[in-house]
Amino acid sequence: MSTLLEVSGVSVSFDGFRAINNLSFQIGDAELRAVIGPNGAGKTTFMDIVTGKTKPDEGHIIWGSMSRSLIGMSEAKIARAGIGRKFQKPTVFEEQTVQENLLMALRKDRGPLAVLFFKPSKPDLERVAELAEEIGLTDALMRVSGELSHGQKQWLEIGMLLAQEPRLLLVDEPAAGMTPAEREKTTAILVEAAKTRAVVVVEHDMEFVRRLNCKVTVLHEGAVLAEGTLDHVTKNQDVIDVYLGR
């Protein structure tokens, strides 16, 4: 499996506090990875650095088969290069239907006129139907998004990101506030998405991480403390001391 994203020797400080400390991380083309760690471990800052929201003080971030450096690229350019991010709180257009939300998210010419005069083509509608099936919202396509449950809004937002055909999807605490049935469905959506792209899930919930059944990276004080299967990292004494023993 070829490496899609390689972060090496990255550090970043805020007012003298080292949020990320000589961090190295890599993920392959079609891989699911969970990132865990105590509060303040650098999980959010790690995602901020990869998406261009925060500029590192040192280190390298290399992307894709062309080995492009992401450092210095704008957030919009990084998104266009194929990195999608889902924040903890879903941001969907509440007044629009599920179908309209997904249509707006498709990779298209996004000039103001194009948006104004956008008429979905047959392939657009077929792609939206595919996405709706993937995220379990086929029956809700014509519903106004504001009426959806919390879990359904999360799935819709994942669908909107998938509509942009990202090669790497960064997902922040997708299981928060979900019912057990919704969490199970979320697991299935992420596992399926990772068959054709890289998916990084930042999560606190160990049960959810166990269900993902993937390699786990444990962050602590801005660096990688351990990496491996969940069983492997949860037996690691350092991990027990800083994270699980709390």
Side-chain angles (χ1 to χ4, degrees):
M1 180 168 57
S2 60
T3 302
L4 178 66
L5 175 76
E6 182 164 7
V7 175
S8 57
V10 164
S11 297
V12 66
S13 299
F14 301 114
D15 301 328
F17 167 70
R18 274 210 150 184
I20 297 288
N21 187 10
N22 194 21
L23 173 70
S24 293
F25 173 94
Q26 47 176 270
I27 188 164
D29 262 330
E31 186 188 340
L32 181 58
R33 179 80 59 89
V35 175
I36 65 173
N39 282 337
K43 303 184 296 292
T44 301
T45 310
F46 160 69
M47 289 199 285
D48 287 347
I49 284 171
V50 172
T51 53
K53 192 173 176 193
T54 296
K55 195 170 165 8
D57 303 326
E58 57 192 50
H60 303 281
I61 304 173
I62 305 300
W63 169 250
S65 53
M66 308 283 285
S67 296
R68 293 160 71 187
S69 171
L70 293 183
I71 293 177
M73 271 169 79
S74 70
E75 287 181 71
K77 212 166 174 188
I78 289 174
R80 282 199 298 275
I83 297 179
R85 178 176 184 180
K86 185 194 167 331
F87 291 88
Q88 215 175 323
K89 195 174 176 307
T91 46
V92 302
F93 298 101
E94 303 253 335
E95 312 292 311
Q96 311 286 336
T97 64
V98 169
Q99 185 185 52
E100 286 166 335
N101 268 281
L102 290 170
L103 281 169
M104 278 190 276
L106 291 176
R107 282 194 84 142
K108 290 276 167 207
D109 172 14
R110 278 282 172 263
L113 282 174
V115 173
L116 204 57
F117 297 108
F118 177 63
K119 290 271 183 289
S121 64
K122 190 161 177 272
D124 290 339
L125 293 168
E126 283 166 2
R127 178 70 185 121
V128 162
E130 268 169 34
L131 286 163
E133 192 166 333
E134 212 176 310
I135 56 174
L137 292 180
T138 301
D139 297 341
L141 265 176
M142 296 307 162
R143 282 183 67 190
V144 174
S145 302
E147 296 173 2
L148 300 176
S149 72
H150 170 73
Q152 288 173 318
K153 282 181 190 168
Q154 297 281 25
W155 302 336
L156 175 55
E157 191 171 30
I158 292 171
M160 288 165 73
L161 277 173
L162 292 175
Q164 291 158 32
E165 311 291 346
R167 291 177 57 205
L168 168 63
L169 193 53
L170 302 170
V171 187
D172 195 5
E173 292 193 37
M178 286 194 177
T179 66
E182 285 176 336
R183 292 148 75 111
E184 223 163 283
K185 173 72 190 163
T186 305
T187 306
I189 291 170
L190 295 171
V191 167
E192 187 58 37
K195 289 178 180 170
T196 51
R197 74 199 74 236
V199 179
V200 175
V201 181
V202 170
E203 189 49 82
H204 272 290
D205 185 313
M206 285 298 156
E207 268 316 296
F208 188 76
V209 172
R210 182 168 295 287
R211 281 211 197 95
L212 290 173
N213 189 24
C214 64
K215 188 174 177 180
V216 176
T217 300
V218 186
L219 294 187
H220 176 56
E221 292 181 347
V224 174
L225 182 65
E227 210 161 54
T229 63
L230 186 62
D231 286 335
H232 171 79
V233 300
T234 51
K235 289 189 182 90
N236 178 311
Q237 193 55 49
D238 292 337
V239 175
I240 293 165
D241 292 346
V242 307
Y243 189 37
L244 303 170
R246 294 183 172 190

